[in-house]
Amino acid sequence: MPDLACFSYNRFFQMSTFQRVAIIFITMSYYHNVLGDMKKMSKKSHVEDFEGVTVLFEALTTSPNDDNWQVFSFPNNVKHADNIPRNCTVVYLKECTSWNKCRQTCYKTGATSYRWFHDGCCECVGGYCASYGINESRCSQCPEPGCDDDSDEDEHE
């Protein structure tokens, strides 16, 4: 089997049919196993708490003027000291981001916690939420189109 690091288009066609099939199979297996299973990755996440500044987070999310995120707000069953019903508010960054960028962005917004999904989606969680907000990757532009194998299958069914 040839060294794939030194692989070229011309060398591919100089190989036997068996070698070409083997390379295609290995490449397809790699993409399916390593890069192709984004649905499973979107269910796994990393969470962390901050001290947070709930007033800042609520101010930023009440009248969002930032095209980089999407706000979700919903009632929750958490009792607060003042007995005033509060909605849980979370922010999803629209584009995929690294774990560290997610952490920094959420910290700067005053979030009390964040959830970074292994597909690159970032959720900043407000102070009136329980259990780190929504346990679902909902970033509108993440994962990037074409990265989710199941999306193609759903279109053909």
Side-chain angles (χ1 to χ4, degrees), residues 6-97:
C6 300
F7 190 72
S8 72
Y9 181 79
N10 290 333
R11 276 185 83 186
F12 180 75
F13 287 101
Q14 293 171 352
M15 296 177 192
S16 71
T17 302
F18 176 77
Q19 288 174 320
R20 284 185 277 180
V21 170
I23 293 215
I24 291 169
F25 177 75
I26 290 168
T27 303
M28 289 174 63
S29 295
Y30 172 79
Y31 282 108
H32 176 72
N33 293 330
V34 177
L35 302 176
D37 208 354
M38 295 303 286
K39 195 156 203 146
K40 285 182 185 175
M41 292 175 73
S42 69
K43 293 180 182 179
K44 294 182 179 180
S45 63
H46 172 83
V47 295
E48 186 176 344
D49 293 317
F50 302 124
E51 285 187 32
V53 181
T54 302
V55 175
L56 172 62
F57 187 81
E58 294 296 318
L60 288 172
T61 58
T62 301
S63 56
N65 58 358
D66 195 326
D67 291 333
N68 295 323
W69 63 45
Q70 186 172 9
V71 177
F72 290 90
S73 191
F74 55 92
N76 63 29
N77 297 326
V78 176
K79 302 233 183 208
H80 301 284
D82 56 8
N83 286 328
I84 297 173
R86 308 275 184 175
N87 285 340
C88 171
T89 302
V90 298
V91 170
Y92 284 94
L93 301 184
K94 289 185 178 178
E95 295 182 1
C96 296
T97 186

Side-chain angles (χ1 to χ4, degrees), residues 65-135:
N65 58 358
D66 195 326
D67 291 333
N68 295 323
W69 63 45
Q70 186 172 9
V71 177
F72 290 90
S73 191
F74 55 92
N76 63 29
N77 297 326
V78 176
K79 302 233 183 208
H80 301 284
D82 56 8
N83 286 328
I84 297 173
R86 308 275 184 175
N87 285 340
C88 171
T89 302
V90 298
V91 170
Y92 284 94
L93 301 184
K94 289 185 178 178
E95 295 182 1
C96 296
T97 186
S98 68
W99 165 78
N100 194 41
K101 174 113 178 164
C102 176
R103 183 179 190 278
Q104 290 173 357
T105 302
C106 292
Y107 180 79
K108 289 177 184 177
T109 64
T112 56
S113 62
Y114 72 95
R115 183 184 298 270
W116 180 77
F117 295 90
H118 293 195
D119 67 356
C121 180
C122 177
E123 174 190 16
C124 303
V125 183
Y128 302 118
C129 299
S131 303
Y132 301 100
I134 304 169
N135 189 13

